[in-house]
Amino acid sequence: MASRWFASLPNLITIGRLVLTPAIIGFVIDEKWGAAFALFVVAGVSDALDGWLAKTFHLQSDLGAVLDPLADKTLIISIYVSLAVGGNLPAWLAILIVSRDALILGGVLVAWFLARPFKIRPHFSSKITTAVQIVLAAVILAGQAFGVRIGALEDALIASVAALTIASASVYLWLWVQHMRP
């Protein structure tokens, strides 16, 4: 019984991240920055932890392969949109992030409709992009929570997130085009 529970631990952690996302967004909307920051850090650490557990102990599963990116995208898109709506991040950055994910999802759906399924495997560029997106959101939330904004750091992270998001979208688009060639 214990081994079955342990085998499910990465998926349970991922589900926890999904459950935390609405709470984080609620705290952002209510401008309860300390709580939003604390829960966001927990969610960010859970992203690293579930992946580490799955790889280290060979606990990868088909469910985890779907849930983990879903939890990541739910958290990232939700936090960026809510921070942009609140004027804490540039709206264009949230639009860029949402557009990249829509591009990837659209490509997968088109390939599926054309009976040429395209299995998305996380690319290295995507993993770095997600990590930097999490760091930027955490910096913005921490700045709000503790009343300390570091403009130069935020500007550098915004530029990095934008560049990495574009690079990652380009990689996935190139892979999709290669897959869809006759």
Side-chain angles (χ1 to χ4, degrees):
M1 185 69 120
S3 67
R4 211 181 276 178
W5 180 86
F6 185 72
S8 299
L9 189 56
N11 291 339
L12 293 172
I13 292 170
T14 302
I15 291 167
R17 189 163 62 255
L18 275 167
V19 170
L20 282 179
T21 298
I24 295 165
I25 301 312
F27 286 134
V28 168
I29 291 168
D30 292 342
E31 297 184 358
K32 294 182 179 177
W33 300 110
F37 173 70
L39 286 183
F40 188 79
V41 168
V42 169
V45 169
S46 80
D47 186 29
L49 180 61
D50 64 11
W52 178 80
L53 284 170
K55 287 182 182 112
T56 302
F57 298 102
H58 307 290
L59 302 174
Q60 294 99 334
S61 67
D62 291 339
L63 178 61
V66 173
L67 278 182
D68 188 62
L70 176 65
D72 290 348
K73 294 303 147 202
T74 301
L75 178 63
I76 294 294
I77 288 172
S78 298
I79 196 70
Y80 273 81
V81 168
S82 61
L83 288 173
V85 167
N88 297 291
L89 271 175
W92 63 263
L93 186 61
I95 292 167
L96 181 65
I97 289 167
V98 172
S99 296
R100 172 203 173 262
D101 291 336
L103 174 81
I104 293 170
L105 180 59
V108 169
L109 291 174
V110 166
W112 183 72
F113 282 126
L114 295 176
R116 300 198 58 196
F118 183 66
K119 185 171 181 169
I120 296 286
R121 291 185 181 94
H123 190 270
F124 181 71
S125 65
S126 182
K127 291 178 185 248
I128 291 173
T129 301
T130 299
V132 177
Q133 288 171 341
I134 289 171
V135 168
L136 173 58
V139 166
I140 298 297
L141 291 171
Q144 292 291 68
F146 303 113
V148 178
R149 301 292 297 256
I150 305 169
L153 174 61
E154 290 175 16
D155 292 344
L157 285 170
I158 287 168
S160 297
V161 165
L164 287 167
T165 300
I166 291 168
S168 176
S170 299
V171 166
Y172 282 112
L173 182 60
W174 183 83
L175 291 171
W176 182 81
V177 167
Q178 297 303 311
H179 174 78
M180 296 303 289
R181 278 196 307 194

